[in-house]
Amino acid sequence: MIAWLALAAAAPGQTYANPVDLDYRYNFEQINEGVSYRTGADPVIVPFKGAYYLFLTLADGYWRSADLVTWRFVTPSRWPAEGIVAPAVSSDGERLLIMPSMTGQGAIYGTSDPASGRIDYVVRRMPVLPGAVKSGFEDSITGDQVPPGPWDPDLFRDDDKRWYLYWNSSNVFPIYGAPVRFAEGRMTYGSPRKAFIRLDPDRHGWERFGQDHSGTLPDGTPIKPFMEGAWMTQVGGRYYLQYGAPGTEYNSYATGTYVGASAMGPFTYAPYNPVGYKPGGFAQGAGHGNTFQDLHGNWWNTGTPWIGYNWTFERRIGLWPTVFDADGQMRVSTRFGDFPQRVPTTRVTDPDSLFTGWMLLSYHKPMQASGSVAGHPPSDAADENPRSFWLSPDAAPGATLTIDLGAVKTLRAVQVNFADYQAGRFGDAPDIYTEFRLESSRDGRTWRPLARTGQPRRDRPNAYFELPRPTAARFVRYVHVHIGGAHLAISDLRVFGTAGGAAPAAPALIAATRAADTRDATIRWRRVPGAVGYNVRWGIRPDRLALTYQVFADRVATGPAATLPLRALTKGQGYHVAVEAFDENGVSPLSRVVAM
């Protein structure tokens, strides 16, 4: 008991792992269809009065954090019954403004004390969006008309205190923008109203819809990509108009940016696009979020990883370190972007330096459980796939899931990712919380406390524990106590640390070849014996390989050479590429860097 109390009382760590450890809410939209799942999407994090506030789609409230690690849900005093989708959230220094997506004349909310949950109206009734057609009449748009809205809005306050609104979500129409004013409980649209940017998938390979930018639905039906989630950031006199594309339903969801010299443009496509991109690994997808500066001056970018097991829009949120280089390039670091990362308490200049170096120890390791349901074996909880899961025959306390790491290794963190299988919940309730404990063992017979959920009780679909001290163990055991859904299902029990050996050798890069369609390339390298996986890294400068595609060694083509098709390039743009290997001991040096 003393050991458990010591663990429970340990101070929160200063690391996190994506998906972010939140009490994601059960969605109500599919209640009549009986489809139950937890979700979070379209995040906005805004610093305000010494803390951070996080807003998501359909959360019935928001979260507060003092450190970007531990988040507390805040129940607001006022909130629309239909919920808020993809909100714009911004600060004027005295209050937060909260603007939901809308197709008509909705309200803008505000609070000067978000920690308390007290919400007031800033604008009780929006003016009609100039030129907007009625919902359902988008096909009739002509001239200066625009779709109903503003949907997927972003409110941006420039250094001169002038306000601007950017909006739209469509696979037909562009992102729009206009100056706006707030006075005496009203918002008014100024002029000019502009159509700023459109997708160009014929040139920008990453803007093609579908899994790995296939351009089609799973059945092969071609589909136009979506542009949405506008967000404006001003740094050093440059204005970065960011957008999500090509669709939230696949691993290819990413963030791009156009750059201009003023809030109303004109804007130019950045040659280093996309900026936020994470098609591989456990948490896949990085589009539609926001960019913010923390209390120490460091930049961060948020986004929306995809799950999509129960419903197309079943998602989570991710958080990645970001920098704006002196030459203007915006870089979002997703390298090892779902492994444990440090949250800095001072200013940092290299976002990659925030990677802890704690490696994944659990991939495809033997798993045993107290019981399982056919089709959902324990091994599914070690496959780094959030769409497969171990399913227990019941959710009674005492159910166990145990992983054998193969040898005694040094453990530093554990993430327990739950899945929703016929959960039967469609909103929050007092009995929706997660409770369990983790135990470790060197020999599989003598068990010691490792970590446990504590107070206050909350739901933890992606529970993350930084261990208070390095722990030597071969086995990790999950012991169940309570979950809010009807079934106990775990998609992945992820264990991080080090095996204590030498890091792998650098891969030998064989070739990086652009196809006749130069949006596509094929990267080939020699396999490294014992490698768990590889990071293919590329960028427009040989000394700045800003983009990463993480791929596991057993998921690339068989044979002496590993191959990765890369379909995210821009026609007419040169690139450089290299590969690094990783295993349970660490990360290799980079291969040679090759132009392509």
Side-chain angles (χ1 to χ4, degrees):
M1 177 64 73
I2 293 175
W4 280 121
L5 289 175
L7 284 174
Q14 287 301 312
T15 68
Y16 75 101
N18 288 312
V20 174
D21 183 1
L22 290 179
D23 45 341
Y24 296 92
R25 306 323 242 193
Y26 278 100
N27 191 281
F28 63 85
E29 289 186 310
Q30 282 73 47
I31 187 170
N32 295 311
E33 293 80 12
V35 181
S36 171
Y37 59 96
R38 287 168 287 194
T39 190
D42 316 322
V44 177
I45 295 178
V46 180
F48 185 73
K49 294 185 178 180
Y52 304 96
Y53 292 89
L54 165 62
F55 296 78
L56 302 178
T57 286
L58 297 175
D60 286 338
Y62 52 92
W63 287 262
R64 181 185 189 274
S65 176
D67 56 10
L68 293 176
V69 175
T70 302
W71 296 90
R72 176 182 64 86
F73 187 75
V74 179
T75 301
S77 63
R78 175 181 284 115
W79 211 250
E82 67 276 13
I84 287 178
V85 173
V89 184
S90 188
S91 169
D92 63 5
E94 298 298 326
R95 59 185 176 177
L96 290 180
L97 280 69
I98 308 160
M99 180 180 185
S101 293
M102 58 188 76
T103 57
Q105 294 174 265
I108 298 177
Y109 303 88
T111 175
S112 59
D113 184 15
S116 72
R118 178 176 175 81
I119 302 294
D120 300 304
Y121 291 110
V122 174
V123 176
R124 188 72 178 264
R125 184 172 173 82
M126 285 277 290
V128 173
L129 177 62
V133 301
K134 292 182 179 179
S135 182
F137 288 83
E138 290 86 347
D139 291 345
S140 67
I141 287 176
T142 60
D144 291 332
Q145 292 181 316
V146 299
W151 195 265
D152 273 15
D154 172 44
L155 283 170
F156 169 68
R157 189 173 187 250
D158 208 346
D159 291 342
D160 60 7
K161 299 183 180 180
R162 294 181 181 179
W163 286 93
Y164 300 87
L165 175 66
Y166 309 91
W167 75 93
N168 207 35
S169 173
S170 174
N171 67 344
V172 176
F173 303 105
I175 285 179
Y176 303 95
V180 296
R181 292 182 64 251
F182 291 96
E184 300 177 347
R186 300 177 61 194
M187 190 199 87
T188 55
Y189 289 96
S191 61
R193 186 186 72 245
K194 291 185 177 181
F196 284 125
I197 52 179
R198 296 178 183 269
L199 294 184
D200 188 3
D202 290 339
R203 293 190 64 247
H204 309 151
W206 72 274
E207 292 180 349
R208 289 174 288 183
F209 192 82
Q211 188 76 0
D212 283 315
H213 313 291
S214 66
T216 70
L217 296 173
D219 63 3
T221 303
I223 183 172
K224 292 181 179 180
F226 285 79
M227 172 183 276
E228 54 199 3
W231 184 266
M232 175 62 78
T233 305
Q234 189 266 110
V235 180
R238 295 184 178 96
Y239 292 77
Y240 298 80
L241 180 54
Q242 299 144 66
Y243 61 101
T248 190
E249 304 96 317
Y250 299 101
N251 70 332
S252 58
Y253 202 32
T255 294
T257 189
Y258 280 63
V259 185
S262 75
M264 289 297 289
F267 296 100
T268 302
Y269 180 81
Y272 48 79
N273 271 312
V275 290
Y277 189 61
K278 194 180 181 306
F282 177 71
Q284 298 179 353
H288 199 152
N290 83 310
T291 302
F292 69 96
Q293 198 168 22
D294 69 20
L295 301 177
H296 309 288
N298 302 299
W299 289 98
W300 297 85
N301 183 258
T302 66
T304 307
W306 160 69
I307 294 178
Y309 175 79
N310 291 285
W311 194 257
T312 302
F313 300 110
E314 181 183 12
R315 297 163 291 177
R316 294 291 188 266
I317 72 160
L319 175 65
W320 297 281
T322 300
V323 294
F324 292 87
D325 292 304
D327 62 3
Q329 180 170 348
M330 177 182 178
R331 289 189 286 137
V332 178
S333 176
T334 63
R335 176 177 173 262
F336 294 111
D338 50 35
F339 286 27
Q341 301 278 330
R342 295 185 182 90
V343 176
T345 55
T346 59
R347 185 75 178 266
V348 298
T349 57
D350 178 10
D352 286 344
S353 69
L354 298 179
F355 173 45
T356 59
W358 302 345
M359 308 310 296
L360 180 68
L361 305 178
S362 48
Y363 186 56
H364 282 328
K365 292 301 171 60
M367 305 284 286
Q368 292 185 338
S370 53
S372 61
V373 174
H376 300 282
S379 59
D380 279 358
D383 65 358
E384 290 290 289
N385 180 1
R387 288 165 290 283
S388 65
F389 49 87
W390 164 64
L391 181 60
S392 174
D394 61 62
T400 61
L401 177 67
T402 305
I403 188 167
D404 178 358
L405 301 177
V408 173
K409 297 171 183 177
T410 302
L411 315 186
R412 300 303 304 269
V414 180
Q415 186 189 51
V416 183
N417 298 275
F418 293 88
D420 283 310
Y421 176 79
Q422 299 180 6
R425 309 308 292 259
F426 300 94
D428 200 26
D431 65 332
I432 296 180
Y433 62 89
T434 307
E435 193 169 341
F436 62 87
R437 65 181 185 270
L438 298 173
E439 300 171 341
S440 68
S441 173
R442 287 174 171 263
D443 57 11
R445 295 186 297 273
T446 302
W447 295 89
R448 296 180 180 275
L450 186 65
R452 70 178 304 166
T453 53
Q455 298 294 330
R457 283 176 167 173
R458 65 179 178 93
D459 202 14
R460 301 187 68 174
N462 304 93
Y464 173 77
F465 299 90
E466 176 186 339
L467 303 182
R469 63 191 65 86
T471 301
R474 172 174 174 171
F475 300 89
V476 174
R477 181 165 69 187
Y478 167 93
V479 183
H480 184 63
V481 178
H482 179 84
I483 196 168
H487 298 277
L488 170 59
I490 294 178
S491 68
D492 279 83
L493 175 58
R494 309 177 75 213
V495 182
F496 298 94
T498 180
L509 181 59
I510 299 171
T513 308
R514 299 283 283 268
D517 181 345
T518 56
R519 297 174 299 177
D520 302 340
T522 300
I523 317 301
R524 299 177 66 240
W525 65 94
R526 297 282 180 191
R527 292 180 181 275
V528 176
V532 172
Y534 304 93
N535 288 328
V536 175
R537 302 176 60 188
W538 75 98
I540 65 171
R541 289 175 38 164
D543 60 343
R544 194 181 290 170
L545 305 179
L547 294 162
T548 301
Y549 197 130
Q550 179 180 300
V551 60
F552 289 100
D554 62 342
R555 297 184 188 177
V556 294
T558 58
T563 302
L564 179 72
L566 190 61
R567 296 170 50 82
L569 309 182
T570 295
K571 286 184 177 181
Q573 176 62 53
Y575 295 92
H576 296 80
V577 64
V579 182
E580 62 189 1
F582 63 90
D583 62 14
E584 296 182 354
N585 302 299
V587 187
S588 78
L590 269 178
S591 72
R592 66 189 177 104
V593 179
V594 173
M596 65 172 180

